[in-house]
Amino acid sequence: IDRNFTIFANCQNEGIVWFKTCGLWQDNGYIPKSGEIIFFDWENDGISDHVGIVEKVENGKVYTNVLYNINL
């Protein structure tokens, strides 16, 4: 997929909205691939808390090694 990527500061109100608008959003149950962006809901409350990049998936377990927090 060749799309421009956006920088966002809020996962829930900016990041997820952008992915849905571009048709890239996947619901629970989707098995991500290496290099894809993944959103985390650590509190299991339906609200995304963080975002990262998938390193690999093995036996249904997702590994990430790049988690971003930047100040612009």
Side-chain angles (χ1 to χ4, degrees):
I1 296 174
D2 184 26
R3 290 194 174 86
N4 292 322
F5 190 75
T6 188
I7 294 174
F8 53 89
N10 181 292
C11 292
Q12 194 67 34
N13 297 322
E14 297 173 8
I16 291 174
V17 171
W18 185 84
F19 275 83
K20 286 182 176 181
T21 299
C22 291
L24 299 172
W25 182 256
Q26 301 291 330
D27 290 321
N28 289 342
Y30 173 76
I31 306 295
K33 298 171 188 67
S34 296
E36 290 185 328
I37 305 296
I38 189 169
F39 288 82
F40 297 94
D41 178 5
W42 289 327
E43 297 173 7
N44 203 24
D45 59 3
I47 297 172
S48 180
D49 304 301
H50 207 67
V51 66
I53 298 174
V54 176
E55 177 184 358
K56 64 182 177 179
V57 179
E58 288 182 351
N59 300 319
K61 185 171 182 175
V62 178
Y63 295 86
T64 60
N65 68 347
V66 181
L67 302 174
Y68 287 100
N69 279 324
I70 62 172
N71 294 320
L72 299 175

